[in-house]
């Protein structure tokens, strides 16, 4: 959960990486982890699904240093879309400050993507069905695969009713596009958090 400490000017953001099975969630985390410089790696070890350091990654801590005057940490968590999310996943999602939704560009994964975004929307809705306001950035993976296997990014976004979301086409194996997507979600999350937090301290 984003905890902004206005006095100490420290900020910790939680970003959830959500998407269908095999869409590229772990590849995205690994691409980010492998490409950030040592100074931006969090002091803790990233974790795999089994809870031990290694592959595939499902939790990556980042230490961004000073961002707009805030000492900023980001925790990235990969969450697969299960109908009955377990308590831990629900908690992580409940505390999320932003979501990177990974959609697989392969035509064969069209329905899997749609089911995943439906699961995300269902899990973000409160008991009354109202959606929590949360920045969501769309990452369309596997752009490096042969064109005949893929759908156009605009078709993928439209099929997910996600046309209005910031969208980044990525090759997650090479890491192309991931930093721009990460920047977009962190920027949007920070704008949501810092504005109310600083209002709170000045009033
Ligand atoms: N060519 C290509 N392969 C990708 C890309 N993204 C992911 N993959 C591959 O697709 C497979 C699944 O990727 P993962 O990152 O494990 O997918 P995931 O979403 O973590 O999958 P689960 O944890 O099983 O839900 C792996 O073999 C990846 O190397 C991409 O952009 N391009
Ligand atoms: Mg994974």
């Amino acid at each position: 959960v984003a905890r902004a400490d206005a006095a100490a000017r420290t900020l910790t953001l939680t970003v959830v990486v959500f998407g269908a099975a095999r869409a590229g969630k772990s590849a995205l985390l690994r691409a980010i982890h492998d490409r950030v410089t040592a100074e931006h790696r969090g002091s803790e070890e990233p974790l795999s699904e089994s809870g031990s350091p290694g592959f595939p990654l499902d939790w990556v801590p980042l230490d961004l240093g000073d961002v707009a005057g805030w000492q900023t940490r980001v925790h990235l968590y990969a969450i697969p879309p299960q109908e009955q999310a377990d308590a831990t996943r629900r908690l992580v999602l409940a505390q999320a400050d932003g979501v990177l939704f990974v959609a697989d560009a392969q035509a064969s994964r069209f329905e899997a993507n749609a089911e995943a975004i439906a699961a995300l929307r269902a899990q973000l809705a409160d008991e009354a069905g109202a959606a929590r306001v949360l920045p969501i950035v769309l990452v369309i993976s596997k752009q490096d695969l042969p064109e005949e296997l893929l759908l156009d990014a605009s078709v993928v976004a439209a099929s997910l009713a996600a046309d209005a979301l910031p969208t980044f086409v990525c090759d997650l194996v090479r890491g192309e596009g991931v930093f721009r997507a990460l920047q977009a979600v962190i920027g949007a999350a920070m704008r949501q958090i810092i504005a109310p937090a600083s209002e709170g301290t000045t009033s």
Side-chain angles (χ1 to χ4, degrees), residues 20-27 49 80 141-145 170-173:
R22 312 287 293 164
K25 302 178 294 294
S26 298
E49 268 168 75
S141 65
K142 312 202 182 178
Q143 294 303 305
D144 55 302
L145 291 181
C170 297
D171 167 355
L172 296 177
V173 172

Side-chain angles (χ1 to χ4, degrees), residues 24-127:
K25 302 178 294 294
S26 298
L28 184 150
L29 262 58
R30 172 142 304 275
I32 289 168
H33 177 259
D34 287 353
R35 283 163 187 77
V36 292
T37 58
E39 69 177 302
H40 288 146
R41 284 193 185 147
S43 43
E44 299 142 288
E45 278 298 302
L47 293 180
S48 70
E49 268 168 75
S50 62
S52 56
F55 302 84
L57 290 185
D58 281 289
W59 175 68
V60 170
L62 299 174
D63 190 344
L64 302 186
D66 186 298
V67 180
W70 294 76
Q71 284 300 314
T72 305
R73 294 208 163 95
V74 178
H75 291 220
L76 293 159
Y77 293 89
I79 301 193
Q82 280 145 347
E83 266 172 51
Q84 290 300 328
D86 61 43
T88 310
R89 293 192 167 114
R90 275 194 185 282
L91 193 64
V92 171
L93 201 57
Q95 295 181 338
D97 302 298
V99 176
L100 284 170
F101 183 85
V102 184
D104 193 321
Q106 295 177 96
S108 61
R109 300 302 285 158
F110 182 86
E111 276 173 26
N113 293 331
E115 285 167 16
I117 204 150
L120 174 66
R121 288 184 172 128
Q123 290 177 35
L124 287 176
D126 65 17
E127 271 149 37

